[in-house]
């Protein structure tokens, strides 16, 4: 019926199988924990992106990649104000031109960044509570460095203080910890773009850079 997948190496014996029909794709199995085949240090995972199946290979100890970063700058630890809203979804493009996905947004964060006079308002996604009592959100964003010294888009954690589910709360964003998506390291990744409103009109010269640039290269235009 087309729902069973098996893994073999060349002409070798089949080393495992799983049936997608028995393990439907939902939020509880998004990580693929019940849809993997393992052989030694290699794990093959079945995923679903844009209504199509994908097969992703993972290795236990991949080759190390030196990821350049901007020099740490405390001015990029930015205070902000976060306000929740009723969760809603927006369709977005991905790094693949033939695949579209959605993002589930749960609120907005307002903040300023160095050398940029305008307040920035960006949508955030749920990440979950932290041990210190704060709540974490994910901010996916583009900025003026994107596609130049940094990948096409990145993400950073927004840490919000405990407070009302409906009112604004204080938050902090450490852009020194801005990270690249898997698409920065593999041509086979399917990474969803930020929503349109999360295009920051300033260069975020903090966090991880593209793997093919030199750490001293801070040119953003």
């Amino acid at each position: 019926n087309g729902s069973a997948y098996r893994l073999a190496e060349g002409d070798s014996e089949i080393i495992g199988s799983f049936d997608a029909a028995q393990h439907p794709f939902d939020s509880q199995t998004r990580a693929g924990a019940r849809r993997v085949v393992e052989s030694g240090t290699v794990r093959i995972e079945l995923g679903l992106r844009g209504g199509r199946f994908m097969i992703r290979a993972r290795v236990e100890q991949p080759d190390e990649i030196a990821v350049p970063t901007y020099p740490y700058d405390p001015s990029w630890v930015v205070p902000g104000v976060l306000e929740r809203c009723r969760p809603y979804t927006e369709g977005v493009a991905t790094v693949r031109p033939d695949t579209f996905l959605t993002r589930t947004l749960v609120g907005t964060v307002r903040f300023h960044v160095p050398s940029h006079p305008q307040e920035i308002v960006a949508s955030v996604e749920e990440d979950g509570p932290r041990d210190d009592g704060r709540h974490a959100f994910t901010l996916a964003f583009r900025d003026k460095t994107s596609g130049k010294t940094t990948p096409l888009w990145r993400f950073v954690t927004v840490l919000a203080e405990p407070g009302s589910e409906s009112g604004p709360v204080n938050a902090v964003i450490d852009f020194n910890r801005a990270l690249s998506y898997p698409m920065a390291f593999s041509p086979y990744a399917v990474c969803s773009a930020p929503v349109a409103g999360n295009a920051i009109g300033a260069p975020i010269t903090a966090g991880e850079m593209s793997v093919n640039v030199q750490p001293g290269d801070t040119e953003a235009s």
Side-chain angles (χ1 to χ4, degrees):
N1 58 12
S3 61
Y5 294 79
R6 291 180 171 82
L7 172 67
E9 297 178 350
D11 296 327
S12 66
E13 296 292 327
I14 292 175
I15 61 175
S17 66
F18 45 74
D19 191 335
Q22 295 181 11
H23 304 302
F25 286 80
D26 54 39
S27 60
Q28 301 302 315
T29 58
R30 184 176 178 183
R34 299 205 305 254
R35 296 185 301 275
V36 297
V37 171
E38 293 180 294
S39 177
T41 61
V42 178
R43 168 179 286 194
I44 305 298
E45 173 189 333
L46 177 67
L48 188 66
R49 297 293 185 274
R52 295 182 299 171
F53 288 111
M54 72 172 187
I55 297 176
R56 172 181 288 165
R58 299 181 183 272
V59 294
E60 185 175 307
Q61 294 181 329
D63 294 336
E64 291 187 5
I65 298 177
V67 181
T69 63
Y70 286 99
Y72 178 83
D73 184 345
S75 69
W76 282 107
V77 182
V78 177
V81 175
L82 185 139
E83 189 164 2
R84 288 177 176 268
C85 67
R86 184 184 298 274
Y88 66 98
T89 60
E90 273 196 31
V92 294
T94 73
V95 70
R96 289 185 57 93
D98 60 351
T99 304
F100 294 85
L101 298 173
T102 61
R103 286 187 178 273
T104 300
L105 307 167
V106 298
T108 57
V109 61
R110 298 174 178 270
F111 58 95
H112 286 86
V113 295
S115 303
H116 187 68
Q118 297 176 343
E119 182 183 56
I120 296 164
V121 181
S123 299
V124 295
E125 297 164 89
E126 181 71 35
D127 195 7
R130 296 294 173 95
D131 291 340
D132 61 3
R134 293 185 294 178
H135 202 95
F137 300 84
T138 298
L139 167 59
F141 67 95
R142 289 187 175 95
D143 67 277
K144 290 296 186 180
T145 71
S146 299
K148 299 168 185 175
T149 55
T150 63
L152 294 175
W153 49 81
R154 295 179 289 166
F155 69 96
V156 68
T157 297
V158 180
L159 290 175
E161 296 297 331
S164 169
E165 288 289 319
S166 58
V169 294
N170 292 328
V172 64
I173 311 168
D174 186 353
F175 281 103
N176 293 289
R177 298 179 180 274
L179 300 175
S180 302
Y181 282 96
M183 66 185 188
F185 312 102
S186 171
Y188 305 109
V190 183
C191 298
S192 53
V195 294
N198 286 12
I200 298 174
I204 305 297
T205 53
E208 289 188 342
M209 307 173 75
S210 296
V211 295
N212 58 348
V213 302
Q214 298 299 317
D217 183 5
T218 57
E219 181 62 45
S221 60

